[in-house]
Amino acid sequence: MRADLQMLLKGFLVLPLLFLTSCSDIKEVQNLNYVTAIGVDFKDNEYIGYIQLISFNSQGANGSSGEPSVWVSETKGKTFDEALSRAYNTSQERLLWAHVNTILVSETALEEGFHHIFDVLTRYYELRLVTWIFGTNAPIKDVFSTTSFFNQSALATVLHRPLGTYEQNSTIRPIKLQQFVRELYEPALTTYLPSIRINESHWVHNMEPDPKLEIDGAFFLKNKEFKGFYTLEVLKGLRWLTKETERAGIQVMDDEGEPDFNIVFEKNEVDIKPVEGKGPLSFDVKVSLEGVIANRDANKILNLKEMEANLREEIHKEIKDLYKLGVQNDTDFFRLEHILYRRKNKSWKSSLGDGGFKLSENMLEDIDLNVKVIHSGALKNRTINMEEID
Amino acid sequence: MTFSRLQLSFVIILFIGISNHVLMLPHLLFVAKRDAWVCVLVGYGILLIWGMILFFIMSRNKQKMKLATWIAKRAGRVVSASIMFIYFFHISIIALISFYDFITSIKIYFLPLTPQWIVVLPFLLLCVWGASSNLKTIVYSATFLLPIVWILGYFVAFSTISNKDYSYMFPILVNGSSPIISGITVVLGGSVDILLILLLQQYVSKPFKLWQLLLLITILLGLILGPLLGSIASFGPNVAAVLRFPAFEQWRLVELGEHVSHLDFFAVFQFISGAVIRVSLCLYFLKDIGFTSNKVKSIVFWSASTSLFFIGILPISDLWVQTAIGTYFYPGLLLIGIILTLSLFVISFLPQKVKGTEAV
């Protein structure tokens, strides 16, 4: 009987545990302001922090009633942390950082060094490393205030959901903070952030110009060094040597320089390794691509072998052009130094002795391109020639 | 009362797993960075050999005597008391550190605003309750909790696969031998806990076979290797080395599609399961280890529990604790492990005195 009583007593002792959880840490959802994006700029020796808050009125799907509303705060401070903290002064209600979706860093802040920003973004427990991260040259206030279509919330933009467009047209792979810091703090590795800007010319809404966000290039960084901004056009060769590439198209010209056909590649495999043996340092590049015909403008090159040869030539040229630019600007677009660091660490170490790893023209001699055109879509490998109709 | 080998293995896996998973990783990564996993492999090799020695010691106790009695019968009461004192010291330290580490993780990630005692008291009550009756409570909770903890572990491992790039494991051994040696010290130091299996011998229904013991060691080392490789592959060695809870950080990467994320509360379940079993078993050992009088047992038990309460509630700086753990804890544990193994090994060669002394 006494044992039963004891059990009962213990039971009563334990019961409150179920209700005690987080009684003072509880946050009322309606009393919180959800930060959706954080921006950093650096001007006149000061950090400028930006915070994006969006209204939940337009959180719904297409055609929800309200106009999308976005608020952006701008605060300054000696450090990034100080700048962001000033936003508390005017935030009215508790700011919740747990749902930050994207980080936007200005070029000047990148030049100043990302390591000043990393610590703030990682240490505080509400922030997570799975946020996207971008660079920009545009005013961050404007970027954060640019919304998407159909009165959808500001979350429906490439800034918050970059994968959708990347899957359709891959050039600059979007990157999450976790992957970015993994690469930034890795010795001898050159990484890059996609660059966001506002495009004012592509769209009109009810005949009024409607600005939209676009990815227009990338910022390159190697550890503490800022390596500069490059446009999409210049970086075309990058996608062929990027593992993440999902879908990439290329136009092939005929001998006279007129457009002939266009291939979209949907599968790619990349392998770059340093060449074994003595002699000057060089790298073997192996790329396998599988694609389909996306468009045929003329019927000039029809033989599969010839098509593939022409494709190889075009792709080869894109890669080579970017590589040459890298040699000129001392930017290791294809991460050759890091490949050396991983695979032949001794050679890499000895290169440090003579002033560090230097790219040179002939390091990327051998590019082995294996290109396959798998099908030609709903049409045969011909287009209808207007002259030939009968 | 005895339990099956499988049941006790569950207890040991939770007991050591929480320390291998959570406590050890930040220190191992800090000293050895990318080479950390090599240290685990080398440590594994050493521990396999050590496992054979341990098995030999265990096999010399066919009668399933209590460790204190077994030593006393062979080497006398003084030796027995000294060895039990070392065990006592070891268990007290790991109990304090595990309790403290659990409270710290809750304070950092989950309940930063909640008064400390509200976190400490219920958790301590659970541990005390688990330890206050016989071993059954601990064993049965472990057999219930471990499968769930295990499934959650696989869940976090597989759901973060897209965030991981295992090529970050290389290059290895490019920074000389000192990180390797420090790393192996941490791995071996943390694994000294396996010696506590000797304190459980009187509870096991059939003695462990050699392969079972080696399998247990393999699983325990796998528990270091899994989250270790995971955090190197997710964050790179340099970022992983500065994270306070590198294994837990992987939980914060979990995203299922666009709408499901923030699943790290599951980790709390894992944390609590491990920590409750670890602290309860420590408390249980402390009173069970060799004291005969019930009064002494309960004094030891309640003073240990009170110390835990104060460790949880006092404003001790984690910065200081982390430095101390890195500098003294693991090398100290290793030393304890070597001393215990050597003395027990020697004792197991001594003949059993016919006129056995009573248990200490």
Side-chain angles (χ1 to χ4, degrees):
Chain A
M1 194 60 213
R2 216 183 137 238
D4 282 354
L5 208 69
Q6 251 188 358
M7 272 307 280
L8 203 71
L9 212 68
K10 281 179 186 170
F12 272 120
L13 253 175
V14 173
L15 209 62
L17 300 190
L18 295 174
F19 303 100
L20 268 175
T21 48
S22 74
C23 50
S24 56
D25 258 291
I26 200 152
K27 296 164 189 131
E28 299 289 342
V29 283
Q30 74 277 16
N31 299 342
L32 292 171
N33 283 329
Y34 293 78
V35 180
T36 48
I38 298 177
V40 204
D41 197 355
F42 186 78
K43 222 182 259 169
D44 307 324
N45 259 324
E46 267 190 320
Y47 277 95
I48 310 169
Y50 295 88
I51 291 172
Q52 185 193 42
L53 301 178
I54 60 165
S55 146
F56 285 111
N57 285 341
S58 52
Q59 249 302 16
N62 298 358
S64 51
S65 53
E67 285 273 308
S69 290
V70 181
W71 285 263
V72 182
S73 88
E74 182 184 57
T75 44
K76 292 180 186 170
K78 273 279 156 236
T79 62
F80 173 43
D81 189 49
E82 193 181 281
L84 270 193
S85 304
R86 294 241 164 101
Y88 290 131
N89 296 350
T90 49
S91 64
Q92 311 307 318
E93 296 201 269
R94 189 189 163 92
L95 287 175
L96 186 79
W97 305 93
H99 294 272
V100 170
N101 211 4
T102 224
I103 312 282
L104 186 58
V105 190
S106 80
E107 178 166 2
T108 45
L110 285 174
E111 274 176 277
E112 192 61 20
F114 186 78
H115 48 284
H116 298 298
I117 302 165
F118 163 76
D119 198 275
V120 181
L121 294 180
T122 321
R123 194 177 293 278
Y124 187 57
Y125 74 100
E126 279 182 8
L127 288 160
R128 274 149 206 265
L129 285 166
V130 283
T131 54
W132 296 105
I133 176 160
F134 295 90
T136 191
N137 271 319
I140 291 179
K141 226 190 243 177
D142 300 353
V143 174
F144 279 176
S145 304
T146 308
T147 54
S148 189
F149 301 100
F150 326 118
N151 295 340
Q152 285 187 88
S153 86
L155 286 180
T157 58
V158 68
L159 184 66
H160 287 280
R161 288 175 196 155
L163 275 181
T165 49
Y166 184 73
E167 278 161 10
Q168 279 194 315
N169 184 14
S170 315
T171 319
I172 309 295
R173 52 103 189 85
I175 192 166
K176 293 195 164 179
L177 185 57
Q178 164 243 337
Q179 194 193 338
F180 177 65
V181 297
R182 177 172 78 191
E183 298 188 350
L184 191 76
Y185 287 89
E186 182 72 4
L189 193 140
T190 305
T191 182
Y192 55 100
L193 283 181
S195 159
I196 287 265
R197 74 158 190 180
I198 302 167
N199 179 315
E200 315 218 359
S201 61
H202 277 189
W203 292 89
V204 292
H205 175 221
N206 300 341
M207 298 305 281
E208 297 289 326
D210 195 10
K212 291 284 168 267
L213 296 178
E214 74 169 338
I215 291 177
D216 66 330
F219 297 98
F220 284 78
L221 299 110
K222 184 186 160 192
N223 306 139
K224 278 178 101 168
E225 256 176 282
F226 179 66
K227 292 287 194 179
F229 168 75
Y230 295 90
T231 61
L232 273 191
E233 189 55 32
V234 172
L235 293 173
K236 267 158 86 180
L238 195 61
R239 54 202 172 146
W240 308 120
L241 297 189
T242 308
K243 265 190 292 182
E244 289 93 344
T245 293
E246 304 227 15
R247 193 167 187 272
I250 188 166
Q251 180 69 48
V252 177
M253 309 290 181
D254 64 12
D255 303 336
E256 286 118 51
E258 292 292 315
D260 191 21
F261 64 92
N262 184 314
I263 301 286
V264 167
F265 291 99
E266 287 170 337
K267 257 188 200 172
N268 80 325
E269 267 171 49
V270 192
D271 186 24
I272 308 178
K273 30 177 188 223
V275 177
E276 294 295 328
K278 287 185 182 147
L281 178 65
S282 65
F283 293 84
D284 262 344
V285 180
K286 261 195 186 151
V287 185
S288 300
L289 296 160
E290 262 181 38
V292 303
I293 301 182
N295 159 253
R296 183 169 267 297
D297 222 63
N299 286 330
K300 292 268 174 57
I301 310 164
L302 290 170
N303 177 291
L304 183 62
K305 272 210 172 127
E306 249 178 85
M307 285 170 68
E308 290 179 347
N310 276 281
L311 272 170
R312 274 202 294 274
E313 201 182 306
E314 290 287 335
I315 294 171
H316 196 268
K317 193 173 163 304
E318 284 190 2
I319 296 175
K320 268 286 185 185
D321 284 352
L322 184 58
Y323 182 71
K324 273 186 199 146
L325 184 75
V327 177
Q328 276 169 27
N329 296 357
D330 186 33
T331 302
D332 186 6
F333 290 112
F334 301 133
R335 308 180 170 194
L336 300 185
E337 183 181 356
H338 187 250
I339 291 162
L340 189 69
Y341 168 83
R342 265 204 197 152
R343 305 251 186 137
K344 286 172 86 181
N345 196 269
K346 279 200 180 120
S347 323
W348 177 76
K349 267 193 185 152
S350 60
S351 84
L352 287 181
D354 10 290
F357 179 88
K358 273 267 172 299
L359 292 171
S360 69
E361 285 279 356
N362 40 20
M363 267 183 195
L364 208 66
E365 279 299 280
D366 197 21
I367 304 175
D368 179 10
L369 281 170
N370 184 4
V371 176
K372 277 199 180 121
V373 181
I374 297 295
H375 66 72
S376 60
L379 293 177
K380 293 173 183 169
N381 186 17
R382 307 225 165 245
T383 187
I384 306 174
N385 201 332
M386 284 300 254
E387 281 81 52
E388 286 167 13
I389 45 177
D390 40 31
Chain B
M1 166 173 278
T2 58
F3 305 95
S4 75
R5 287 170 294 202
L6 188 66
Q7 281 175 319
L8 285 182
S9 302
F10 272 40
V11 177
I12 293 165
I13 289 171
L14 266 178
F15 182 84
I16 302 179
I18 177 87
S19 128
N20 283 3
H21 245 56
V22 182
L23 200 60
M24 188 193 286
L25 281 197
H27 300 283
L28 181 54
L29 277 163
F30 180 70
V31 294
K33 291 199 175 156
R34 212 185 303 255
D35 290 340
W37 63 275
V38 183
C39 302
V40 178
L41 292 186
V42 177
Y44 176 53
I46 299 172
L47 285 174
L48 281 184
I49 298 168
W50 177 79
M52 293 177 201
I53 300 174
L54 184 64
F55 177 73
F56 175 76
I57 298 171
M58 285 167 81
S59 68
R60 300 284 283 170
N61 183 6
K62 289 244 162 54
Q63 304 90 328
K64 293 195 281 179
M65 270 181 273
K66 208 170 176 173
L67 189 64
T69 324
W70 179 78
I71 300 172
K73 282 206 169 162
R74 284 161 190 264
R77 296 179 58 154
V78 180
V79 179
S80 172
S82 340
I83 288 182
M84 286 307 129
F85 176 75
I86 300 177
Y87 261 113
F88 190 86
F89 178 70
H90 174 195
I91 295 166
S92 321
I93 297 286
I94 62 172
L96 288 176
I97 287 182
S98 307
F99 192 83
Y100 172 84
D101 201 65
F102 172 73
I103 298 297
T104 308
S105 66
I106 298 298
K107 185 163 42 174
I108 292 176
Y109 288 106
F110 298 104
L111 302 173
L113 303 178
T114 303
Q116 202 74 345
W117 67 269
I118 296 189
V119 181
V120 171
L121 203 62
F123 177 59
L124 187 63
L125 273 176
L126 270 181
C127 297
V128 168
W129 196 13
S132 59
S133 46
N134 54 27
L135 199 58
K136 202 164 139 188
T137 323
I138 297 172
V139 174
Y140 283 19
S141 348
T143 41
F144 173 73
L145 294 173
L146 182 66
I148 305 174
V149 170
W150 203 302
I151 290 168
L152 286 174
Y154 277 114
F155 171 73
V156 64
F158 287 115
S159 57
T160 52
I161 261 185
S162 64
N163 300 82
K164 288 174 182 160
D165 178 351
Y166 283 94
S167 68
Y168 281 83
M169 287 158 64
F170 298 100
I172 49 164
L173 309 175
V174 293
N175 296 316
S177 57
S178 80
I180 305 279
I181 292 170
S182 323
I184 294 174
T185 310
V186 175
V187 173
L188 295 182
S191 303
V192 166
D193 290 1
I194 301 175
L195 273 176
L196 297 178
I197 201 173
L198 294 175
L199 297 178
L200 289 170
Q201 271 178 298
Q202 70 269 31
Y203 298 110
V204 66
S205 53
K206 272 182 260 165
F208 277 92
K209 295 202 173 90
L210 179 61
W211 69 267
Q212 290 166 331
L213 193 64
L214 297 186
L215 180 67
L216 193 61
I217 292 176
T218 310
I219 292 173
L220 293 174
L221 272 277
L223 286 177
I224 313 177
L225 203 59
L228 176 69
L229 289 180
S231 42
I232 292 178
S234 312
F235 309 108
N238 290 295
V239 176
V242 298
L243 293 173
R244 176 65 182 85
F245 290 96
F248 169 66
E249 283 292 336
Q250 288 167 64
W251 266 110
R252 300 184 356 120
L253 299 178
V254 176
E255 284 181 308
L256 302 178
E258 202 182 313
H259 299 291
V260 183
S261 63
H262 292 67
L263 293 179
D264 31 310
F265 60 88
F266 281 128
V268 184
F269 184 85
Q270 293 181 308
F271 267 139
I272 296 186
S273 308
V276 161
I277 295 297
R278 191 169 174 84
V279 177
S280 315
L281 191 61
C282 281
L283 284 176
Y284 185 81
F285 278 147
L286 286 181
K287 69 177 160 107
D288 188 54
I289 196 163
F291 305 105
T292 35
S293 115
N294 275 336
K295 204 174 167 194
V296 180
K297 273 188 184 182
S298 87
I299 290 174
V300 168
F301 183 75
W302 287 109
S303 41
S305 308
T306 320
S307 329
L308 286 181
F309 180 74
F310 283 112
I311 275 286
I313 213 164
L314 288 176
I316 307 167
S317 169
D318 188 43
L319 279 61
W320 179 80
V321 175
Q322 289 308 303
T323 318
I325 291 181
T327 332
Y328 305 111
F329 180 61
Y330 285 110
L333 276 186
L334 183 57
L335 189 69
I336 288 180
I338 293 171
I339 294 173
L340 282 179
T341 311
L342 283 181
S343 27
L344 291 170
F345 190 56
V346 171
I347 290 166
S348 62
F349 281 103
L350 297 177
Q352 203 160 313
K353 287 172 190 156
V354 188
K355 271 192 179 175
T357 13
E358 277 300 297
V360 189

